[in-house]
Amino acid sequence: MTAGGPPQAEVALVDLLDRLLAGGVVITGDLSLCIADVELVRVSLRALLTSVEGATEGILT
């Protein structure tokens, strides 16, 4: 417990990953390639990370 702050619980990395994958995580980003202030290539990335069980649960129910 830190002074003045909320109590901190120790969470194992595997537990954190399990929680994230159970609920799903969306990662987004933009990448652009410019030369002399001229945009040549622009790529928008979106990825959904979830467990197979979590993904099929929403489809089947």
Side-chain angles (χ1 to χ4, degrees), residues 27-38:
I27 299 172
T28 61
D30 293 315
L31 174 70
S32 62
L33 177 62
C34 301
I35 296 177
D37 290 332
V38 176

Side-chain angles (χ1 to χ4, degrees), residues 12-34:
L13 181 59
V14 68
D15 292 334
L16 179 62
L17 288 174
D18 187 49
R19 290 181 193 172
L20 288 174
L21 292 177
V25 178
V26 176
I27 299 172
T28 61
D30 293 315
L31 174 70
S32 62
L33 177 62
C34 301

Side-chain angles (χ1 to χ4, degrees), residues 30-59:
D30 293 315
L31 174 70
S32 62
L33 177 62
C34 301
I35 296 177
D37 290 332
V38 176
E39 187 172 283
L40 300 175
V41 177
R42 183 174 192 171
V43 178
S44 294
L45 304 169
R46 292 188 187 123
L48 171 63
L49 300 176
T50 186
S51 65
V52 172
E53 182 178 309
T56 57
E57 184 176 287
I59 294 171

Side-chain angles (χ1 to χ4, degrees), residues 1-8:
M1 183 171 182
T2 60
Q8 296 181 353

